[in-house]
Amino acid sequence: MSERRAARIREIAPRLTFQDHVVPTEVKAELVRRLVDAGIRAFELSSFVRPDLIPGLADAEKVFATVPRVPGLRLGCCVGNLRGLARAIDAGADSASFLLSADEAFARANIGRSTVDSLAELERMAAYAAGHDIVLGTYVIFAWGGPTGPARGGEDLGPLADRLLDIGVDHWILADSSGYAAPPQIRELVTAALARIPAENLTVQIHDARGMGLAALLLLLDLGVRNIDTALAGSGGHPAMPGTRGGGVCTEDAVQLLELSGVDTGIDLPRLIDSANWLATETGVPCQGFVRHTGPVPDRPGQSLAFRW
């Protein structure tokens, strides 16, 4: 019998969802507690960014301070500059990911500087991180295209990827922030990334804006990628882009698919579903997903059929 494959699910709702929906720190801490009880051990907990721009994450330090540390727990965050990185280190983050956009127009609109200027800032951050106990990586958001540009492929990643390696940053999160990628596009870009960094240094984050998110998961495992970012109940958004579908691939849907496909996640699906329903009812944030509405695929005979014309 072949050995069961495994995936490492990292939950990003504490950052992606609450950057767009302001809730008390206690609610965030309770959400993380529930998810830890469900078996999740990796989180993107918050962002250390300007609180006047992202008021929903102004309590980043408090969130890190309130999350109980359990064995194997890994707490990551997003940072936009050297000051944010220093705050993350002081808060006890295990890792920090720089917000680098592959879309030039979005980069200028979102943070007010070009991709070239962002890379210069990342280079300064890498030098600083080298003297501290933190793993500094980078996002490549809109890696597959959007929001202002067309779809992107492996050739488009090449110059940016090589510059990242020159800087010394070899932990990457490729984000399909606009949900452009079907499996062939996933394969092309991930293959280009894996030609430059080992699979354990690569995380893939799919946003399910166009309904193709789940289709990528098993392919990623076939390519050797084990680090996958998901968002509870398919939640998430961007405060400066109201009305857009900014949610990540739904965590509970992803866990069901992976487990039924023989992939170990270490996550308790019923507890995860309970957490997704709690998120929807407690916070009122827009939530997506299927399994929390329909229930998981049963593994034993259920109730008799209640049927009528």
Side-chain angles (χ1 to χ4, degrees), residues 43-170:
F43 291 88
E44 186 172 74
L45 206 55
S46 192
S47 289
F48 291 91
V49 291
R50 285 174 50 183
D52 59 322
L53 293 181
I54 314 288
L57 302 181
D59 60 350
E61 281 89 353
K62 292 181 180 179
V63 173
F64 270 84
T66 57
V67 171
R69 299 302 201 264
V70 299
L73 189 65
R74 302 291 296 175
L75 301 179
C77 62
C78 292
V79 292
N81 52 35
L82 184 55
R83 181 171 180 271
L85 175 61
R87 289 175 60 196
I89 291 169
D90 290 342
D94 297 302
S95 63
S97 299
F98 182 65
L99 292 166
L100 178 66
S101 175
D103 186 280
E104 184 72 29
F106 180 85
R108 292 181 181 277
N110 190 46
I111 57 176
R113 62 175 177 241
S114 68
T115 301
V116 170
D117 290 339
S118 294
L119 287 165
E121 178 69 11
L122 180 57
E123 188 167 16
R124 288 189 288 271
M125 293 165 66
Y128 185 83
H132 295 82
D133 185 20
I134 194 168
V135 175
L136 176 65
T138 188
Y139 269 93
V140 180
I141 59 176
F142 303 106
W144 277 269
T148 67
R152 298 184 180 91
E155 291 183 358
D156 299 303
L157 177 67
L160 183 60
D162 292 340
R163 175 69 176 122
L164 290 173
L165 293 179
D166 289 341
I167 291 171
V169 175
D170 62 354

Side-chain angles (χ1 to χ4, degrees):
M1 186 174 180
S2 61
E3 185 178 348
R4 189 169 159 87
R5 294 189 296 174
R8 176 179 173 271
I9 296 294
R10 189 177 72 142
E11 178 56 59
I12 62 172
R15 190 274 300 178
L16 186 66
T17 302
F18 298 138
Q19 73 178 11
D20 199 31
H21 302 278
V22 180
V23 303
T25 304
E26 295 75 21
V27 172
K28 299 176 184 179
E30 174 64 13
L31 174 63
V32 174
R33 184 195 66 76
R34 288 170 177 265
L35 293 173
V36 168
D37 287 346
I40 292 180
R41 291 294 181 269
F43 291 88
E44 186 172 74
L45 206 55
S46 192
S47 289
F48 291 91
V49 291
R50 285 174 50 183
D52 59 322
L53 293 181
I54 314 288
L57 302 181
D59 60 350
E61 281 89 353
K62 292 181 180 179
V63 173
F64 270 84
T66 57
V67 171
R69 299 302 201 264
V70 299
L73 189 65
R74 302 291 296 175
L75 301 179
C77 62
C78 292
V79 292
N81 52 35
L82 184 55
R83 181 171 180 271
L85 175 61
R87 289 175 60 196
I89 291 169
D90 290 342
D94 297 302
S95 63
S97 299
F98 182 65
L99 292 166
L100 178 66
S101 175
D103 186 280
E104 184 72 29
F106 180 85
R108 292 181 181 277
N110 190 46
I111 57 176
R113 62 175 177 241
S114 68
T115 301
V116 170
D117 290 339
S118 294
L119 287 165
E121 178 69 11
L122 180 57
E123 188 167 16
R124 288 189 288 271
M125 293 165 66
Y128 185 83
H132 295 82
D133 185 20
I134 194 168
V135 175
L136 176 65
T138 188
Y139 269 93
V140 180
I141 59 176
F142 303 106
W144 277 269
T148 67
R152 298 184 180 91
E155 291 183 358
D156 299 303
L157 177 67
L160 183 60
D162 292 340
R163 175 69 176 122
L164 290 173
L165 293 179
D166 289 341
I167 291 171
V169 175
D170 62 354
H171 286 74
W172 304 344
I173 302 170
L174 297 182
D176 186 15
S177 312
S178 292
Y180 278 16
Q185 291 79 50
I186 294 287
R187 178 184 296 277
E188 180 185 355
L189 201 65
V190 167
T191 299
L194 292 177
R196 293 169 169 86
I197 61 172
E200 59 265 27
N201 289 13
L202 182 65
T203 299
V204 176
Q205 181 182 118
I206 309 294
H207 289 222
D208 210 14
R210 289 171 168 80
M212 297 186 288
L214 287 177
L217 298 186
L218 298 180
L219 171 63
L220 289 172
L221 293 169
D222 289 341
L223 292 171
V225 177
R226 296 289 181 267
N227 302 316
I228 298 169
D229 282 355
T230 64
L232 191 69
S235 57
H238 194 292
M241 300 174 71
T244 59
R245 289 185 61 121
V249 167
C250 176
T251 304
E252 59 272 24
D253 289 356
V255 167
Q256 176 174 250
L257 172 64
L258 291 169
E259 292 285 350
L260 289 176
S261 301
V263 178
D264 183 24
T265 64
I267 298 171
D268 185 307
L269 183 58
R271 287 188 176 186
L272 195 61
I273 293 170
D274 287 345
S275 298
N277 288 329
W278 179 87
L279 175 68
T281 57
E282 179 71 17
T283 67
V285 304
C287 291
Q288 309 295 327
F290 291 96
V291 68
R292 72 185 186 90
H293 295 293
T294 61
V297 175
D299 58 2
R300 60 181 63 87
Q303 296 177 342
S304 59
L305 178 65
F307 179 82
R308 65 180 182 182
W309 288 110

